[in-house]
Amino acid sequence: MNLGPFEIIVILVVVLVIFGPKNLPKLGAAFGKTVKNVREGMEGDDDEKKDENVEDVVETAEAPETVETEAPAEGDSVFCTKCGTANPADADFCKKCGAPLK
């Protein structure tokens, strides 16, 4: 796209006729803000992706926390190790997720 000075002048005259002289400063400011936001967005996405990847690696490198529960006494509830729902002590499967309790 080789635009010479004549083509640029024709484009500017058409824009002036379409939008009018009062709206050109508003149009220019809006266009400038849009270009600035697009540039910041493109640069920011790369930085955020790098930060997220580093956080993911750190989180997966750490050992997951395990919740140790005491063995329930007779008549107490049994908690599901998968979802944590309280179930009757004599239940074989979780009433919420269906995972085996014993």
Side-chain angles (χ1 to χ4, degrees), residues 15-71:
V15 169
L16 180 66
V17 169
I18 292 174
F19 293 105
K22 292 182 181 178
N23 293 331
L24 280 182
K26 294 176 188 176
L27 181 66
F31 181 73
K33 288 179 183 178
T34 302
V35 170
K36 181 181 176 185
N37 288 337
V38 167
R39 286 184 181 169
E40 288 176 355
M42 290 174 67
E43 292 172 2
D45 286 344
D46 294 338
D47 295 339
E48 289 175 9
K49 287 180 183 176
K50 289 178 185 175
D51 292 341
E52 289 175 3
N53 289 340
V54 169
E55 290 173 2
D56 291 342
V57 170
V58 170
E59 288 177 4
T60 55
E62 296 174 358
E65 295 181 23
T66 57
V67 178
E68 295 183 21
T69 57
E70 297 178 9

Side-chain angles (χ1 to χ4, degrees), residues 1 3-18:
M1 281 183 42
L3 294 177
F6 182 71
E7 288 88 3
I8 294 175
I9 291 172
V10 170
I11 292 170
L12 291 176
V13 169
V14 170
V15 169
L16 180 66
V17 169
I18 292 174

